[in-house]
Amino acid sequence: MLGNFDETVSVKDFLHHADTGIGTCAGLDGDAVFEDGVAYKATADGKVVVMKPEDGVAFGTVAKFDESVPAVELRGIADIEAMKKALAPYVEGNQNIFYMIKATGEFKTMHVRSCFASQKPYPTLSEVAKDQREFHFANTYGTVIAVWCPRYVNGINLPGWHFHYLSGDKTQGGHILGLSADSLRVKINKIERFD
């Protein structure tokens, strides 16, 4: 948040421990989505590229996703706040752990953003956000990967939900600012330990 966008871990090291999650790339060069053991970068010019093992990640939250959990259906998601409200019952039982979701389906609308790469001396995240690029997609099929963080990690992560999107054809993605969908198939993992 204060402007340290240096690499903290390589894609190879992240994927050694996990296969699913979200993050941002070294230099704040786009938004990262980790899906099924592959790292994707959604760039500010509207492209999605596969990251190389030696590419760097400045920040991320990743886990080994348990696909065996039963899926639930969320219906009538009018906007991002409705999505958070629909997910609330699944985190209310224990707000001291992390949760990760994969929500798959057709999105009537999807509003994402990505940032351009920054050079040292880095600006703060709020300064970078003034020049972010936003994209609007309609009737796009794909997956939302999101992380819910407990309040006590404030300062090392963002409490509450943080959503990223990756289309099924791997051509659209980014940090989600807004969305809507009639029906989504959601798998929810409880993450009770973290490093």
Side-chain angles (χ1 to χ4, degrees), residues 86-118:
L87 290 169
Y90 300 98
V91 302
E92 285 172 354
N94 187 349
Q95 296 189 26
N96 287 322
I97 63 174
F98 292 75
Y99 295 84
M100 184 173 287
I101 67 159
K102 284 185 176 182
T104 304
E106 182 164 340
F107 295 86
K108 292 192 294 185
T109 60
M110 178 60 67
H111 178 196
V112 299
R113 66 106 166 110
S114 278
C115 296
F116 287 105
S118 295

Side-chain angles (χ1 to χ4, degrees), residues 52-166:
K52 299 172 185 164
E54 63 271 19
D55 286 344
V57 177
F59 175 83
T61 309
V62 296
K64 196 164 284 291
F65 198 83
D66 180 4
E67 292 284 358
S68 70
V69 298
V72 298
E73 186 178 19
L74 302 183
R75 301 185 65 82
I77 305 300
D79 54 31
I80 194 78
E81 292 306 316
M83 179 86 166
K84 292 177 184 178
K85 187 174 181 180
L87 290 169
Y90 300 98
V91 302
E92 285 172 354
N94 187 349
Q95 296 189 26
N96 287 322
I97 63 174
F98 292 75
Y99 295 84
M100 184 173 287
I101 67 159
K102 284 185 176 182
T104 304
E106 182 164 340
F107 295 86
K108 292 192 294 185
T109 60
M110 178 60 67
H111 178 196
V112 299
R113 66 106 166 110
S114 278
C115 296
F116 287 105
S118 295
Q119 306 299 323
K120 286 188 172 182
Y122 296 130
T124 63
L125 187 60
S126 60
E127 290 170 332
V128 172
K130 294 174 185 174
D131 192 35
Q132 68 187 15
R133 291 296 181 268
E134 298 183 19
F135 303 93
H136 295 267
F137 307 117
N139 303 316
T140 177
Y141 182 87
T143 302
V144 169
I145 295 177
V147 175
W148 189 92
C149 298
R151 282 182 291 191
Y152 64 81
V153 299
N154 188 27
I156 62 169
N157 212 319
L158 296 173
W161 285 107
H162 186 168
F163 299 90
H164 282 200
Y165 178 66
L166 184 65

